[in-house]
Amino acid sequence: MKVVIIDGQGGRMGQLLVEKIKESKIPCELIAIGTNSIATSAMLKAGADAGATGENPVIVACRDADVIVGPIGIIAADSLMGEITAAMANAVSMCSAVKLLLPVNLCKKIVVGTGDQTMSSLVNEAVRQLKELVLK
């Protein structure tokens, strides 16, 4: 199973996701796609199997991903302080992969009913749901 993690800014969420997925020993290929090189580097240092940076890698990775994990902003153009382009958001939104979107209520995108959870609890829940998907 191919799992693509998309993150930007400093890559902290992506780094935590990679670490927790690796710790959970979920049998998957873990691809890190950063919207910038700092985010990509953080995810690779955390143990991602491969990584790339920028708009085109997001588009290409979405073509054959089974699961995409990242902040909810990856489906909205101009999110992550402008790091998500319209082409990136479209690629993520339109691909057939299951999307595990963490409801980080920033960038004027608020998911009602999610409450204020810590990054750690959001990542733990995403990893739990990924495990369910992979081990079905």
Side-chain angles (χ1 to χ4, degrees):
M1 179 165 287
K2 182 176 179 181
V3 177
V4 174
I5 297 178
I6 301 173
D7 197 13
Q9 306 281 288
R12 182 69 182 135
M13 176 187 290
Q15 179 182 11
L16 285 170
L17 283 163
V18 171
E19 288 170 355
K20 292 288 187 179
I21 292 167
K22 288 293 186 176
E23 284 174 17
S24 297
K25 299 187 184 332
I26 297 172
C28 63
E29 177 186 17
L30 199 52
I31 308 299
I33 307 294
T35 59
N36 62 63
S37 60
I38 294 169
T40 305
S41 178
M43 292 185 281
L44 285 169
K45 285 179 184 173
D49 298 315
T53 302
E55 180 179 82
N56 201 56
V58 169
I59 294 167
V60 171
C62 287
R63 289 181 189 154
D64 64 350
D66 296 302
V67 179
I68 296 175
V69 188
I72 195 165
I74 63 175
I75 61 169
D78 294 337
S79 288
L80 279 67
M81 297 184 70
E83 291 186 15
I84 300 295
T85 67
M88 290 170 158
N90 188 56
V92 173
S93 298
M94 298 294 291
C95 77
S96 62
V98 172
K99 290 125 189 124
L100 293 177
L101 303 172
L102 285 75
V104 181
N105 293 327
L106 300 172
C107 300
K108 297 185 180 180
K109 283 127 186 98
I110 299 171
V111 180
V112 176
T114 59
D116 289 328
Q117 296 182 45
T118 65
M119 180 65 65
S120 182
S121 67
L122 291 171
V123 166
N124 287 337
E125 178 60 16
V127 171
R128 185 193 68 72
Q129 290 190 25
L130 176 63
K131 188 179 256 183
E132 281 183 21
L133 286 169
V134 171
L135 300 177
K136 272 187 179 179

